[in-house]
Amino acid sequence: MKLLRVGPAGAERPALLDEDGTLRDLSGVVPDIDPELLADPAALDRVRAAAAAGKLPGAVADTAPEGPRIGPPLARIGKIVCIGLNFHDHARETGAPVPEEPIVFMKAPDTVVGPHDPVLIPRGSRKTDWEVELVVVVGRTARYLETDQEALACVAGYAVGNDVSERAFQLERGGQWDKGKNCETFNPLGPWLVTADEVPDPQALAMRLWVNGTLRQDGSTADQIFPVAEVLRHLSHFMTLHPGDIVSTGTPAGVAMGTPEPKPYLRDGDVVELEIAGLGRQRQVMTSA
């Protein structure tokens, strides 16, 4: 299933994108796409049954000519755990050694916005950068996982993420990476949460990102240093993952930081578009904060 949330920020309604590309209203079946839904197999089965029976009404139309706003596909996100330098080609382009184990950092849930919402370039920014990423949505509690099978069984679904980063804040201002990763709007998510049954192999997904129409990133999750299952196993020995937590699994080569001078960092008015095969497409306009 492709689950999503539509409507004004803070007042989104749960919806489903059916096989014909029609938005279907889920508000009569479940209250929201949230951790409680992901942790309840019976509720998910009700959604599947209603969709299969053709009983879901069309989503409420929006008066905007471009259609309804699409919000983040998951409400009440718990932790956002991110993996740095998780692609061989990205490590090469930045001149970093291949990590011996996953590099872990966190983003705050309030960085999350819809997939087409504006992204705010922070005041004083000189090096705002893009990163297309595969996001794993946790659906079962995960602690001390031992096998890949156990790890993948904890996955509720997958989504597209843009791990927007301010490199000067991240690397030149002291402290950890948090300063460059947690600016407002720095985590566009969606458009959909695609349930795990529709993604048979998370290590075979093409990933692309364009800036102002120029292709900047063109990679595949096959190039990940630590695959999804290994990342989840690793994390579960350092923290408990709960339904509604998300894990952003790294970006391929092609970020601004990895290009020759002058590096094409983002500026007001730039347009970023990104997609992952089967998981949908995002579009953001950069706007000064």
Side-chain angles (χ1 to χ4, degrees):
M1 295 185 292
K2 293 181 174 67
L3 304 175
L4 66 161
R5 301 169 65 248
V6 298
E12 295 93 344
R13 295 164 62 94
L16 178 145
L17 188 71
D18 69 17
E19 293 180 356
D20 297 325
T22 302
L23 278 179
R24 299 292 179 182
D25 187 358
L26 288 179
S27 58
V29 182
V30 295
D32 210 341
I33 312 299
D34 58 14
E36 288 73 22
L37 174 65
L38 301 183
D40 186 351
L44 289 169
D45 286 343
R46 289 198 301 273
V47 173
R48 289 189 178 93
K55 295 181 179 179
L56 297 174
V60 176
D62 194 290
T63 56
E66 64 273 16
R69 171 187 175 270
I70 299 176
L74 181 63
R76 293 183 289 282
I77 293 169
K79 295 187 289 295
I80 301 175
V81 188
C82 305
I83 308 300
L85 291 173
N86 195 28
F87 281 71
H88 291 280
D89 58 2
H90 179 48
R92 286 194 299 270
E93 76 171 348
T94 60
V98 173
E100 294 184 2
E101 60 181 71
I103 295 172
V104 179
F105 63 95
M106 310 283 280
K107 276 189 152 178
D110 64 6
T111 61
V112 174
V113 293
H116 311 310
D117 289 345
V119 167
L120 299 178
I121 296 178
R123 296 177 186 180
S125 169
R126 298 181 291 110
K127 298 180 179 181
T128 295
D129 207 345
W130 58 81
E131 294 189 15
V132 58
E133 303 215 1
L134 172 67
V135 174
V136 178
V137 182
V138 177
R140 297 185 192 175
T141 300
R143 57 191 301 273
Y144 297 109
L145 300 171
E146 296 297 336
T147 68
D148 288 354
Q149 291 75 17
E150 288 178 326
L152 293 177
C154 294
V155 177
Y158 301 91
V160 182
N162 185 357
D163 177 21
V164 186
S165 309
E166 213 298 341
R167 303 302 189 187
F169 294 0
Q170 176 187 354
L171 302 172
E172 302 170 20
R173 298 293 300 271
Q176 303 299 313
W177 287 6
D178 297 37
K179 290 179 181 178
K181 295 286 188 173
N182 281 279
C183 304
E184 59 182 329
T185 75
F186 264 26
N187 209 340
L189 184 66
W192 319 308
L193 188 166
V194 180
T195 52
D197 58 295
E198 293 199 12
V199 185
D201 185 0
Q203 305 311 138
L205 301 175
M207 313 167 69
R208 296 182 180 87
L209 181 144
W210 296 260
V211 179
N212 299 326
T214 298
L215 182 64
R216 293 293 187 179
Q217 291 185 276
D218 186 4
S220 168
T221 54
D223 191 48
Q224 286 188 332
I225 298 167
F226 305 104
V228 167
E230 186 173 351
V231 165
L232 295 177
R233 282 196 293 108
H234 180 83
L235 292 175
S236 76
H237 287 257
F238 296 91
M239 64 187 77
T240 301
L241 299 174
H242 298 282
D245 289 349
I246 65 176
V247 180
S248 199
T249 62
T251 198
V255 299
M257 181 175 65
T259 61
E261 298 289 353
K263 299 181 187 297
Y265 289 113
L266 294 168
R267 299 289 183 263
D268 183 90
D270 286 345
V271 177
V272 176
E273 298 170 278
L274 54 151
E275 66 181 14
I276 297 178
L279 303 185
R281 187 178 179 98
Q282 299 185 358
R283 181 182 187 274
Q284 297 108 33
V285 178
M286 302 297 115
T287 304
S288 296

